[in-house]
Amino acid sequence: MKVLVTVKEVAEADDDFAIEGTDIAESDLEYDLNEWDDYAVEAAVQLAEAGVADEVVTVTVGPERAEETIRMALAKGADRAVRVWDDALEGAFADVASKVDLFEAVVAEEEPDLILGGVQAADTGFGATGVALAERIGFEHAAVVNSLDVDADADVAHVHRELEGGVEELTDVDLPAVLTVQTGLNEPRYASLRGIRQAQRKEIAAKDLADLGLTAEDVESALTITSMYEPESESDAELIEGDASEAAGRLAEVLREKGVGA
């Protein structure tokens, strides 16, 4: 069984940041592996350690800088990685449909039996890529998975999902399938020094649009960012100062003015 894990390098802004054009200044951003994807990587590696999966491959869309993030997934036990990038993607906003176009082409090459990914991205908050990919490639799917048991002999995944309102669902999903996982599915491991050294020797295959049989028009986003700005905030909150007696007196006065209390 081959497991393909979609991973994303997410950006986190400093507390104080500048906006340059339609994005946050590069110098004010720090990059890391998406938290939800970390759980997906751990799930795949555990399947390999249990003898269920024969190979774990990660795939990401990102520039060369993203290889540092991918190496962390390799250091945690993934066997190899695919990084998709092209000059045509530079500065473009990749919406869900565009990412699915790219992942679909990779899936066609890799032919995985199971695709795992995080249920959402920490930076954009999007949570549609995994489900949209399953629909595109015709795989069964389940989202918000927080427990997973794969029976490779029966080609089925036994999954537990926690839905809205505290509803819990136990269901079987036929393989091949796409599963998007929730935090709490497992306890992601730290990359060991040995794993980090081994990751430096593992393959990261860089592919551009031509390699995947795609053109810039094929992955053109339907969404365009026209501007970015910090919203202005207004508040009429009053900070009450003074000792306890003075603060209590002022608080009582404010409450009376607001019609609270006798």
Side-chain angles (χ1 to χ4, degrees):
M1 170 185 283
K2 179 189 290 188
V3 181
L4 182 69
V5 187
T6 60
V7 300
K8 183 181 182 183
E9 178 191 62
V10 296
E12 181 177 353
D14 295 336
D15 292 337
D16 295 318
F17 59 87
I19 294 177
E20 295 180 354
T22 58
D23 208 345
I24 297 174
E26 184 73 21
S27 58
D28 294 331
L29 293 174
E30 293 185 0
Y31 296 92
D32 201 356
L33 177 65
N34 182 44
E35 179 184 6
W36 285 266
D37 295 344
D38 200 9
Y39 288 84
V41 170
E42 178 64 28
V45 172
Q46 287 185 12
L47 289 174
E49 291 174 339
V52 176
D54 301 307
E55 185 179 30
V56 175
V57 183
T58 66
V59 56
T60 193
V61 177
E64 188 174 354
R65 180 201 63 234
E67 291 196 3
E68 183 177 349
T69 298
I70 304 171
R71 293 285 180 196
M72 293 308 297
L74 294 174
K76 293 183 178 188
D79 297 299
R80 58 184 177 86
V82 176
R83 180 179 64 84
V84 179
W85 193 248
D86 193 280
D87 291 342
L89 300 173
E90 188 71 42
F93 179 77
D95 61 6
V96 171
S98 299
K99 291 178 182 177
V100 169
D101 289 332
L102 296 169
F103 286 144
E104 179 186 19
V106 174
V107 169
E109 286 193 352
E110 294 291 340
E111 299 183 336
D113 303 286
L114 176 63
I115 301 174
L116 297 176
V119 75
Q120 70 182 67
D123 50 3
T124 62
F126 285 0
T129 303
V131 176
L133 175 61
E135 175 70 19
R136 178 76 66 82
I137 62 180
F139 280 20
E140 296 292 317
H141 75 271
V144 201
V145 173
N146 60 7
S147 180
L148 172 62
D149 179 30
V150 176
D151 185 344
D153 293 331
D155 287 332
V156 66
H158 309 291
V159 304
H160 176 279
R161 306 199 302 147
E162 185 175 351
L163 307 179
E164 292 83 357
V167 176
E168 296 185 352
E169 177 185 84
L170 296 173
T171 189
D172 290 344
V173 181
D174 292 331
L175 302 180
V178 178
L179 306 178
T180 55
V181 305
Q182 179 64 291
T183 58
L185 171 68
N186 48 49
E187 185 65 37
R189 70 195 65 192
Y190 288 99
S192 66
L193 290 176
R194 181 170 178 267
I196 292 173
R197 288 195 296 268
Q198 291 177 334
Q200 299 304 316
R201 298 191 296 272
K202 292 182 178 179
E203 176 191 3
I204 298 180
K207 295 183 178 293
D208 59 18
L209 294 179
D211 293 329
L212 299 176
L214 298 171
T215 66
E217 289 73 22
D218 292 330
V219 296
E220 185 175 357
S221 175
L223 300 178
T224 302
I225 298 178
T226 58
S227 64
M228 179 177 289
Y229 61 91
E230 291 185 68
E232 295 182 3
S233 60
E234 297 181 0
S235 173
D236 58 358
E238 177 184 345
L239 180 63
I240 299 177
E241 300 179 343
D243 58 29
S245 177
E246 293 172 340
R250 176 55 185 156
L251 178 59
E253 182 181 345
V254 170
L255 293 176
R256 286 195 297 269
E257 292 174 354
K258 300 294 184 182
V260 179

